Amino acid sequence: MASFTPSTASTARASELREALASRVVVADGAMGTMLQAQDPSMEDFEQLEGCNEVLNVTRPDIVRSVHEAYFSVGVDCVETNTFGANLAALGEYDIPERIFELSEAGARVARETADDFTARDGRTRWVLGSVGPGTKLPTLGHAPYTALRDAYQQNVEGLVAGGADAVLVETTQDLLQTKASVIGARRALEALGADLPLLVQVTVETTGTMLLGSEIGAALTALEPLGIDMIGLNCATGP
């Protein structure tokens, strides 16, 4: 874990984001992967790891930055980091799980620099949401040990915070145990780094009205609210 001391500016941004979320509509960005793919990165850009978008944070930060710039240019308040796959399951499929922290930090840094550039132009605060994707392993089904996933999510979030994220966004979770692993890992990272950032969680709900493994939204709320999160929402699913 890299050493990290929250700056006055980062603490102020986090506080301002919490206030904004409680008092007005805060507009975030949209798709990341399709906009990266539209720029046709080469296999060299991907370091021969075709489709591993997180590698572009290191090899082609200019491409990643251009996506953030496109969203900020049309007026969004927040952009998500290009780190949806910076987790044990996704990077493990490319045999590079040891790069979780590196790629998370790099993704947050690109977004932070872009946000700060836009803020410098007009004084309006722009925020960076550290994207924590679910990966492909569901602990409830025995795909991977809960503790291994939790510890890897902690590395993910430590990288995001070190790179300058203003909040942690746990998104697209399908298995409540996987959601819990993400949230507990994030909490451990924030406590270890002394960072008080908003923690936002999004679950996915299918056309059945439940999460993929059958949990109803009420069950999700009951399970997640005691974990100390700032906001619960829905994203990226076939349902509502």
Side-chain angles (χ1 to χ4, degrees), residues 84-140:
F84 186 79
N87 53 63
L88 181 66
L91 294 187
E93 291 173 0
Y94 291 103
D95 294 323
I96 54 168
E98 72 282 355
R99 298 183 68 182
I100 291 173
F101 180 94
E102 172 204 354
L103 298 179
S104 298
E105 182 182 31
R109 193 183 317 115
V110 174
R112 173 82 274 138
E113 290 170 355
T114 312
D116 290 347
D117 284 350
F118 274 80
T119 294
R121 298 179 191 181
D122 61 11
R124 181 163 72 89
T125 302
R126 268 77 164 191
W127 293 287
V128 172
L129 307 180
S131 172
V132 178
T136 56
K137 306 298 185 187
L138 304 182
T140 295

Side-chain angles (χ1 to χ4, degrees), residues 161-185:
V161 175
D166 298 308
V168 177
L169 176 62
V170 171
E171 56 180 329
T172 323
T173 62
Q174 310 133 44
D175 170 2
L176 273 179
L177 192 56
Q178 177 254 314
T179 316
K180 185 175 180 179
S182 308
V183 173
I184 297 299

